Amino acid sequence: MNPDLVLVLDAAAFAAEKHRRQRRKDAEATPYINHPLVLATILAREGGVADADVIAAALLHDTVEDTETTPAELEVRFGTRVAGMVAEVTDDKLLPKAERKQLQIAHAPGKSHGAKLVKLADKIANLRDLAVSPPADWDQARKADYVRWAGEVVAGLRGTNPALEAAFDAAAAAII
Ligand code: NDP
Ligand code: ZN
């Protein structure tokens, strides 16, 4: 038994179940689970990340924010470290959206190494989606606003993983 493989597969299955009724915002309404799977793949393949807790946190990163999943549920099933990283990348949905966006910028530098990796992969994945399968109703100006904001978040994550930071820059350059 390989505990890292079991953890990662369990996180993938848990996230698939939690996101089963959700779709991305692109014209084809891609199943939501594709997005966390993309983050995990970016981390492993492009970021050289071999820490199974970080890969699991990437798979779970939107479960608390976007489904009825609780932090306690993640802690029991995946442990304190994975649950902690997910909590670090979860926005407080009680706050107005503009404030949440500002807080992502302000809080980025103080996050743990693992949470920074997950955030980098999330922003890379979303910029790549913007380039090839953007939200159906976004014009160029809206995309440019998003790229600018993502760049401000990533500015606070730099010094974490050069390959991922370069991948972010390339994804941003492909849009603007
Ligand atoms: P967001 O800017 O939050 O939408 C982007 C998010 O949607 C991404 O971070 C990603 O989050 C998710 N997503 C789902 N599908 C895709 C996809 N195909 N491509 C890229 N991202 C995808 O949009 P909201 O509608 O929630 O608006 C929030 C903010 O935008 C507000 O602060 C508002 O003020 C501002 N706004 C700006 C406008 C403008 O023209 N500049 C117009 C209207 C609002 P995840 O990884 O979590 O799934
Ligand atoms: Zn995400």
Side-chain angles (χ1 to χ4, degrees):
M1 204 268 273
N2 179 332
D4 282 353
L5 270 181
V6 172
L7 172 71
V8 167
L9 290 169
D10 192 30
F14 181 93
E17 167 73 14
K18 293 293 188 173
H19 290 299
R20 69 190 180 282
R21 292 194 200 89
Q22 295 173 331
R23 296 290 182 272
R24 298 289 283 167
K25 296 174 181 171
D26 60 298
E28 288 191 14
T30 304
Y32 200 91
I33 189 61
N34 286 32
H35 168 65
L37 288 168
V38 165
L39 261 71
T41 306
I42 288 171
L43 288 169
R45 182 183 279 154
E46 301 178 52
V49 175
D51 182 336
D53 280 353
V54 174
I55 303 295
L59 290 167
L60 298 165
H61 82 281
D62 277 330
T63 57
V64 174
E65 193 168 301
D66 295 337
T67 80
E68 81 298 351
T69 307
T70 64
E73 197 178 356
L74 293 184
E75 188 161 346
V76 169
R77 185 142 165 184
F78 302 105
T80 310
R81 183 162 176 251
V82 172
M85 284 188 272
V86 175
E88 283 188 86
V89 301
T90 299
D91 283 357
D92 180 354
K93 279 200 155 172
L94 297 175
L95 298 173
K97 276 194 175 163
E99 194 174 338
R100 282 158 52 188
K101 295 219 156 209
Q102 277 311 118
L103 285 177
Q104 282 206 32
I105 297 168
H107 290 165
K111 303 240 172 263
S112 68
H113 182 73
K116 285 180 175 175
L117 289 170
V118 174
K119 282 203 87 67
L120 274 167
D122 196 24
K123 296 298 183 262
I124 293 165
N126 284 336
L127 289 199
R128 288 178 181 171
D129 279 350
L130 269 196
V132 299
S133 53
D137 56 344
W138 285 28
D139 60 15
Q140 193 56 35
R142 178 92 192 254
K143 290 184 205 172
D145 276 356
Y146 188 88
V147 174
R148 252 191 307 277
W149 167 74
E152 289 183 59
V153 177
V154 166
L157 303 170
R158 291 195 188 266
T160 301
N161 183 302
L164 294 180
E165 290 153 38
F168 175 85
D169 293 337
I175 297 170
I176 311 181

